[in-house]
Amino acid sequence: MTESLADLTAVDLVSRYKQGSLSPVEVIDAVLARVASLEPKLCATYALDPAAARAAARESEYRWSRGEPVGPLDGVPITIKENIATRGTPVPQGTAATELILATEDAPAAARLRAAGAVIISKTTMPEYGMLSSGVSTFHHLTRNPWDLSRTAGGSSAGAAAAAAAGYGPIHIGTDIGGSIRLPAGWCGVVGLKPTHGRVAVGTPFPGRAIGPLTRTPADAALALSVMTGPDRRDPTSLPRIADSYHEISSVEGLRIGLLLDAGVGLPVDREVRAAVSSAAALLESEGAIVEPIAPIITREMLDGLDRFWRVRSAADINALPEDRRAKVLPEIRRWVSTATDLTAFEVFDGFSQMGAMAAAVDAAFATYDFVLSPVAPITAFPAELAYPTDDPLKPFEHIAFTVPYNMSAHPAATVNCGYSTTGLPIGLQIAAPRFADLPTLRLAAALTTLLPPNRPWPTT
């Protein structure tokens, strides 16, 4: 079978550029051909710019010919989620209610990627205000899952996950405030990393908000993270650069791993999801890891409290819009925030306090364990047209009980594909770790992928 350049990893691309056996121009042509072939059905891109991508690839080709790459991603095709600002492109946030104003500068993550030589081929889509775990948007076309076009790619990093699975280049950058990297990564069968909060500077920091990579391999995720990490004056929560370097681990023996199969709240875990995650945990145990079932980390009070606080926060943003723009917001979002005025100040404050309660509960789990394994989501990918898996705007968070705790606690968490449903949909496994253990999380993900059966061929046709 002929190798497709669009499917090479970033690590492979850089190695071949260095050897002189491959040109960034060849790779960009292959990636853009893949996009042209699949994009009419997937609808994963926003502001796709083939001319700029080809120009950047030619510049990279010249630098490599002289042995003078500007950085570790020189010539590597990437995409960036549309809510991460890139100069000269509007940031619609997935909604027709946003005024389209050109961004005047790159956000910190985009600036670092560009400086490292990455070739930005496109931005990627997201749902309404990033508040959905689907691709439903009043601005973008509906993003679909490459494994099954009738199913969601997830969200809010919808386009990034679909692009990663479909081979629109090796690295895709998303954002995550409740699972928005990990949920779509799990449903599209790719690796997704929500780093430690502050590990990647965010232009507009907010509790729980993080930026991270979606890739096909843990090594590519580590490479992308190494480029983006470090402080930035625009984000007072940003952390120093990672001093460690990524490498594979030879043994998992002695690792203490908590196995969380019941979130304690939200949708029940599908039988196939539970079986796939349990089987993966058993593989680690067979290699010497100490795997123990653990009780639910969060409670109904925590999840409902967070819902109340986020409703009020979103209602404040939407109510500040002029009436004509407010009417353009997705009806499901308008229905969700319509109940915000029914809440008392005490209820809102209690909701805000649940972020701290979640953080304390997660931190307590890592007093005993090196890692916590769980499903990414209790279900496989749901129908693409639904805004929520419950199809109920007043029950929007029933599927995020495994992911959102780590946003509130700032712990890193990664996803890896651990199997497939009987209908062929990927099943995501989540690996969470103590704060600042971003690279150990990816190392364990890599170790697990060597134990699991090989992934099925990527859905690239």
Side-chain angles (χ1 to χ4, degrees):
M1 183 176 178
T2 304
E3 176 184 64
S4 171
L5 300 183
D7 294 315
L8 292 178
T9 68
V11 171
D12 284 341
L13 289 177
V14 172
S15 175
R16 296 194 190 192
Y17 294 161
K18 191 176 297 184
Q19 296 166 5
S21 62
L22 188 61
S23 158
V25 173
E26 297 174 88
V27 174
I28 287 299
D29 284 344
V31 169
L32 290 174
R34 176 71 58 76
V35 173
S37 170
L38 299 183
E39 188 58 5
K41 294 180 179 179
L42 295 186
C43 300
T45 64
Y46 159 67
L48 177 68
D49 194 341
R54 286 192 168 98
R58 288 192 295 271
E59 293 170 3
S60 176
E61 180 183 61
Y62 176 72
R63 291 191 294 268
W64 279 110
S65 72
R66 295 172 58 88
E68 299 174 349
V70 294
L73 290 179
D74 206 337
V76 174
I78 70 166
T79 70
I80 298 177
K81 189 175 177 181
E82 62 105 312
N83 64 340
I84 302 171
T86 53
R87 62 174 182 263
T89 304
V91 183
Q93 300 183 79
T95 177
T98 300
E99 270 191 297
L100 296 182
I101 300 171
L102 301 183
T104 57
E105 63 177 359
D106 287 337
R112 291 235 167 91
L113 290 159
R114 203 189 296 272
V119 177
I120 303 171
I121 66 164
S122 183
K123 306 297 287 292
T124 50
T125 59
M126 61 182 281
E128 202 84 359
Y129 287 114
M131 289 306 297
L132 306 174
S133 298
S134 67
V136 177
S137 164
T138 56
F139 182 84
H140 301 294
H141 292 296
L142 178 63
T143 304
R144 295 180 179 273
N145 192 317
W147 294 93
D148 181 341
L149 295 176
S150 73
R151 298 282 148 172
T152 185
S156 64
S157 302
Y168 290 13
I171 292 174
H172 309 271
I173 308 303
T175 65
D176 192 316
I177 198 170
S180 288
I181 288 173
R182 290 157 291 156
L183 290 165
W187 286 327
C188 288
V190 300
V191 173
L193 173 69
K194 182 207 77 68
T196 300
H197 182 71
R199 182 64 75 200
V200 177
V202 179
T204 53
F206 188 84
R209 182 175 289 153
I211 291 175
L214 296 92
T215 63
R216 289 182 174 181
T217 67
D220 274 5
L223 178 58
L225 182 66
S226 72
V227 166
M228 294 188 290
T229 185
D232 188 280
R233 60 173 176 75
R234 290 168 285 182
D235 183 353
T237 70
S238 55
L239 299 171
R241 290 186 59 81
I242 294 178
D244 197 1
S245 59
Y246 177 77
H247 57 83
E248 293 187 358
I249 57 176
S250 57
S251 174
V252 299
E253 187 171 0
L255 289 178
R256 293 189 60 82
I257 297 174
L259 177 60
L260 180 66
L261 293 174
D262 177 7
V265 61
L267 295 174
V269 178
D270 180 85
R271 178 183 55 81
E272 291 184 308
V273 172
R274 178 185 292 269
V277 173
S278 297
S279 294
L283 289 173
L284 291 174
E285 192 169 30
S286 71
E287 294 293 314
I290 301 164
V291 180
E292 299 174 346
I294 63 173
I297 294 175
I298 67 168
T299 64
R300 169 56 65 184
E301 181 183 9
M302 293 176 188
L303 191 63
D304 286 352
L306 186 67
D307 182 358
R308 291 195 299 272
F309 175 66
W310 277 355
R311 266 180 220 231
V312 172
R313 169 192 159 225
S314 295
D317 291 341
I318 291 169
N319 289 343
L321 297 173
E323 186 174 349
D324 61 327
R325 285 168 52 198
R326 198 182 316 143
K328 296 178 181 179
V329 175
L330 189 75
E332 289 90 338
I333 295 289
R334 295 205 308 270
R335 175 72 179 105
W336 176 56
V337 303
S338 68
T339 60
T341 54
D342 300 334
L343 298 171
T344 68
F346 295 101
E347 289 172 319
V348 176
F349 178 77
D350 177 74
F352 176 82
S353 71
Q354 296 307 316
M355 292 192 290
M358 281 192 196
V362 171
D363 206 52
F366 288 107
T368 307
Y369 297 104
D370 301 310
F371 298 95
V372 173
L373 263 57
S374 74
V376 177
I379 57 173
T380 54
F382 55 94
E385 290 78 11
L386 296 184
Y388 308 95
T390 58
D391 198 22
D392 183 351
L394 299 184
K395 294 181 179 179
F397 296 159
E398 297 302 296
H399 59 293
I400 66 172
F402 286 112
T403 53
V404 74
Y406 305 113
N407 293 87
M408 301 303 103
S409 67
H411 288 69
T415 69
V416 63
N417 188 57
C418 68
Y420 301 86
S421 71
T422 52
T423 58
L425 294 172
I427 296 172
L429 176 147
Q430 179 174 239
I431 303 169
R435 280 189 296 273
F436 317 122
D438 304 84
L439 293 183
T441 307
L442 292 173
R443 291 184 192 120
L444 182 57
L448 188 53
T449 59
T450 65
L451 300 174
L452 289 162
N455 280 342
R456 295 178 183 179
W458 292 103
T460 56
T461 57

